[in-house]
Amino acid sequence: MATNRRILTVTRLSNGDINIDYDPQSSPHVFFDTNVVIGLNAEAIDALNRLKSEQKFIYRYSLLNFVELASHMGDEPDSRTPNPFKKYQSAFKKIASLCDPRPLPSAETVFMKAVGLYHFLSPKWIANESEIAGTLKGFVQVNDLAELKRAGFSPEYYKKLREFDGEWFLDFVAKAKEIGGLPDGSDSWANWLGHFYSYLVFRASSTRKTLSSLGRGEQKRAIKFFEGPGGKMFLTHFKYLLVKTIRDQRHEDSNDFYDMLQLLLLRDSNRLFVTDDRPFHQYYAGAEHHRVVPWKMFKKSALSL
């Protein structure tokens, strides 16, 4: 049945401010960059709760939040972080107190379902909402890392997963730099992009499928995904990073891949992503697609209530 719901948009104004417009009958789901969660203090949490009450926002957490935080719980102490377990457990406590207990679907689930390949999705990318919520509750309740490990949780698994993804991503960026020039519509760049799309399918299916092994209709859907909500932001962001890396010698960061994956969650047109990571705000993909808000502005709005 057709609806007249106003879609969520984020418009950049000439004075540097932003305008978030949404249908008050359809509360936006807001998710945060992991560094925002880590940095939340009591004042910010109180302000976010007031904003949630007045604007009816629904705060969510992503599986990427979960993976990033979990991967650091077993880190070795150093001068900057003398107690890694407590630091990252504190972030999980903030999520538990602030966010809806249901995690957002994984970026891999969003992608594979949107292009009709959900049946090829590896089980490790399919979030059992009650299971993840239960695990998060366990993280909040344990007293130390040893107790967490006795319960069967391994931070090393998530750390290795991130390291593998990071190494692949840096290798892919290195191959892009070998092409020469900046990303454009040439055959060389089109082939490179096809390999990139293929890896996303390969990774989400746990090596069972590549773009070339799909049927022609499936291939077209996979490629077309990157023209619509979520996919366009993902591709625009990646191309922006490539230009900065190739032209401006920006240092490649293995964590860029996980940062980008969060943009796939914007496939749902009623989701809003909040981050202060500068690259997300140094280009603009349009009001309907660029539903990414600087944390400083979001927090200022909340504190003003």
Side-chain angles (χ1 to χ4, degrees), residues 86-130:
K86 287 297 183 184
K87 175 180 178 178
Y88 297 105
Q89 183 191 44
S90 173
F92 277 119
K93 288 181 178 180
K94 295 169 190 175
I95 286 174
S97 68
L98 189 65
C99 297
D100 188 290
R102 302 167 298 157
L104 289 169
S106 69
E108 296 77 13
T109 298
V110 170
F111 171 58
M112 296 292 272
K113 184 176 287 188
V115 300
L117 300 175
Y118 185 74
H119 52 293
F120 290 128
L121 187 66
S122 166
K124 70 180 179 181
W125 301 123
I126 304 174
N128 181 311
E129 292 184 0
S130 59

Side-chain angles (χ1 to χ4, degrees), residues 119-246:
H119 52 293
F120 290 128
L121 187 66
S122 166
K124 70 180 179 181
W125 301 123
I126 304 174
N128 181 311
E129 292 184 0
S130 59
E131 183 178 315
I132 293 294
T135 302
L136 190 146
K137 186 176 180 181
F139 286 171
V140 170
Q141 294 176 337
V142 296
N143 295 307
D144 53 37
L145 182 61
E147 184 178 345
L148 191 63
K149 288 186 172 182
R150 285 196 297 272
F153 175 77
S154 171
E156 290 77 16
Y157 167 78
Y158 294 98
K159 185 175 286 291
K160 289 179 180 177
L161 184 66
R162 291 186 65 211
E163 288 174 351
F164 176 81
D165 280 332
E167 289 170 4
W168 166 82
F169 179 74
L170 292 180
D171 182 63
F172 214 88
V173 172
K175 290 177 180 176
K177 292 166 70 176
E178 294 173 1
I179 295 175
L182 299 177
D184 56 25
S186 67
D187 289 345
S188 296
W189 278 106
N191 289 335
W192 175 87
L193 197 57
H195 288 303
F196 181 66
Y197 294 157
S198 186
Y199 181 76
L200 294 178
V201 174
F202 182 76
R203 176 178 175 273
S205 66
S206 283
T207 75
R208 290 185 294 167
K209 286 291 178 180
T210 62
L211 195 63
S212 61
S213 70
L214 298 175
R216 196 159 190 80
E218 293 170 328
Q219 292 177 0
K220 288 181 178 179
R221 288 198 302 271
I223 294 170
K224 194 170 181 59
F225 173 85
F226 295 95
E227 300 174 7
K232 181 175 179 178
M233 269 298 295
F234 177 89
L235 185 58
T236 302
H237 187 77
F238 193 17
K239 286 183 176 180
Y240 171 80
L241 293 180
L242 285 173
V243 169
K244 297 294 288 184
T245 299
I246 296 170

Side-chain angles (χ1 to χ4, degrees), residues 8 10 20 29-31 266 270-274 291 293 298:
L8 172 64
V10 176
I20 302 173
H29 287 224
V30 181
F31 62 104
L266 298 177
N270 205 39
R271 289 184 188 142
L272 192 69
F273 179 43
V274 178
R291 284 171 277 115
V293 177
F298 198 79

Side-chain angles (χ1 to χ4, degrees), residues 61-68 103-107 124-127 132 265:
Y61 66 97
S62 71
L63 288 185
L64 289 164
N65 293 145
F66 182 92
V67 169
E68 286 187 303
L104 289 169
S106 69
K124 70 180 179 181
W125 301 123
I126 304 174
I132 293 294
L265 300 179

Side-chain angles (χ1 to χ4, degrees), residues 14 26-27 87 92 105 151 230:
S14 58
S26 184
S27 301
K87 175 180 178 178
F92 277 119

